[in-house]
Amino acid sequence: MASATPAAPSASPGPREDGAGARFSPELMYAAARMYYVEEATQAQVSARLGTSRATVSRLLSEARRQGIVRIEVVPPAPADDGDLADRLASVLGLRAVHLGAAAPTGRSPDLGITLGPVVARVLAGVGLGPGDVLLVSSGRSTYEVAGTDLPHLPGVRVAPTVGGTDQADAWYQTNEATRRVAERLGGTPLFLFAPALPGPGLYEELLADPGTRRVLDAWDEAKVALVGIGAPPRTRTSLASFVDRSDPVIMDATGDVCNRFFDEEGRPVAFRGAERLVATTLDHLRALERCVAVAVGTEKVPSITAAARARCITDLITDPVTARALLAANRPEAT
């Protein structure tokens, strides 16, 4: 599917030459793109209507794509029964909606940007975000990977992280980085949180009084939508945030987490050591949002996704058919 986006006015409608070669006005690129992609004219017909060569039309279309005047979306097909699967799972988990992406090829780890990215884009395009609205973004591999895909153009949206930083080397632990990537893709404004996820008692109080920190904390209260991941049970994970104490049996017995807020299998909060100083959105923050969209894939996350739904801290789930079927099987009456 291709769409031609209206361009800003320009003083000169036709091509002009300079030392860098042929350059085209936004109007001319838009006119060529609209005729070719929307009106389905051939390149020969476009060149005749514009009074230029077919080679110039080809360059106009290429430049229109490069500048974002034309955006092409390749949507993976869903199996015929996936719509019913999504509806049944949403009903079982008590969610507003379940959105299914493509399944990864058998025997391969999913590339979340390919399998779920287009679904994330469609959901974000439909949640009603406008200029000035706040979108929260969590850390985690899922959100980090989909943040690198084609997202809808939502200029003026403010994008804020849900948790402070850690000293982990992996990029997906850095919420500021995920925030920057999402804001860049949306054409929005990032708000960065320059605070550790779990500061010491003295520093914690200072951070709460810091104007830069307060700007992000205030955005949490103003937020309309969140895009979050769901963490698997801590005992099953090979990697955890650096502030998580693996010697703490309370947290190691947790079922999962959203935004580093851990919960048990019923969705009840798990208060690990130091949790009162955690610089992160609370489950109540997430429950107050209009939409909290979770991205989670993998059968190892079935208990965590189920618990997050029970916690009522997510409204939408974006996953793949394999995970969806495993969730449905685990939540049948005879399975509980």
Side-chain angles (χ1 to χ4, degrees):
M1 179 176 65
S3 61
T5 304
S10 172
S12 174
R16 58 185 184 273
E17 297 289 334
D18 61 16
R23 299 179 63 187
F24 308 109
S25 71
E27 289 89 352
L28 191 63
M29 289 185 285
Y30 174 71
R34 182 169 183 82
M35 283 186 273
Y36 185 73
Y37 289 109
V38 179
E39 299 174 15
E40 299 185 343
T42 65
Q43 289 194 20
Q45 291 170 329
V46 174
S47 67
R49 290 169 64 178
L50 293 180
T52 189
S53 68
R54 290 182 62 179
T56 298
V57 171
S58 179
R59 291 197 296 272
L60 282 166
L61 296 175
S62 295
E63 186 66 11
R65 287 179 59 182
R66 190 185 72 81
Q67 293 192 21
I69 294 172
V70 171
R71 301 188 185 96
I72 295 178
E73 181 182 17
V74 180
V75 181
D81 64 342
D82 278 358
D84 180 58
L85 172 62
D87 291 342
R88 284 186 290 138
L89 183 56
S91 177
V92 166
L93 294 181
L95 299 177
R96 182 185 187 277
V98 170
H99 316 268
L100 298 182
T106 303
R108 292 179 56 188
S109 297
D111 182 331
L112 300 183
I114 294 174
T115 59
L116 301 185
V119 185
V120 172
R122 288 201 299 272
V123 173
L124 288 183
V127 294
L129 287 167
D133 287 336
V134 176
L135 168 68
L136 303 181
V137 177
S138 80
S139 57
R141 179 179 169 234
S142 299
T143 50
Y144 182 80
E145 289 194 11
V146 299
T149 63
D150 289 333
L151 298 178
H153 189 54
L154 300 173
V157 169
R158 295 178 290 157
V159 184
T162 62
V163 64
T166 74
D167 59 2
Q168 303 291 103
D170 294 320
W172 55 77
Y173 277 105
Q174 307 305 326
T175 322
N176 279 343
E177 178 59 17
T179 297
R180 183 197 63 77
R181 282 161 65 96
V182 170
E184 184 177 62
R185 293 290 181 171
L186 297 179
T189 302
L191 304 177
F192 297 123
L193 180 57
F194 297 107
L198 193 64
L203 179 58
Y204 176 74
E205 295 299 330
E206 292 181 13
L207 288 170
L208 292 184
D210 177 73
T213 305
R214 285 253 49 105
R215 181 177 65 151
V216 176
L217 270 55
D218 290 343
W220 293 350
D221 293 326
E222 301 169 22
K224 185 175 181 179
V225 178
L227 179 67
V228 302
I230 298 177
R235 287 190 185 279
T236 70
R237 289 153 70 173
T238 57
S239 177
L240 283 169
S242 57
F243 63 82
V244 175
D245 184 359
R246 286 184 175 272
S247 69
D248 186 346
V250 174
I251 196 170
M252 296 309 291
D253 287 338
T255 302
D257 76 284
V258 174
C259 302
N260 291 288
R261 296 292 181 179
F262 290 83
F263 39 73
D264 65 16
E265 63 181 4
E266 296 301 324
R268 295 177 295 235
V270 170
F272 58 91
R273 289 196 291 264
E276 71 280 0
R277 300 192 310 276
L278 186 64
V279 181
T281 51
T282 64
L283 296 181
D284 283 339
H285 274 123
L286 301 179
R287 294 184 187 110
L289 299 171
E290 291 183 18
R291 303 278 288 276
C292 184
V293 181
V295 183
V297 168
T299 54
E300 73 281 0
K301 290 191 176 184
V302 165
S304 309
I305 297 170
T306 301
R310 290 172 178 167
R312 296 290 181 262
C313 62
I314 62 173
T315 61
D316 296 65
L317 173 65
I318 297 176
T319 190
D320 64 7
V322 173
T323 308
R325 292 188 184 97
L327 279 162
L328 203 57
N331 286 278
R332 290 193 183 113
E334 62 271 20
T336 59

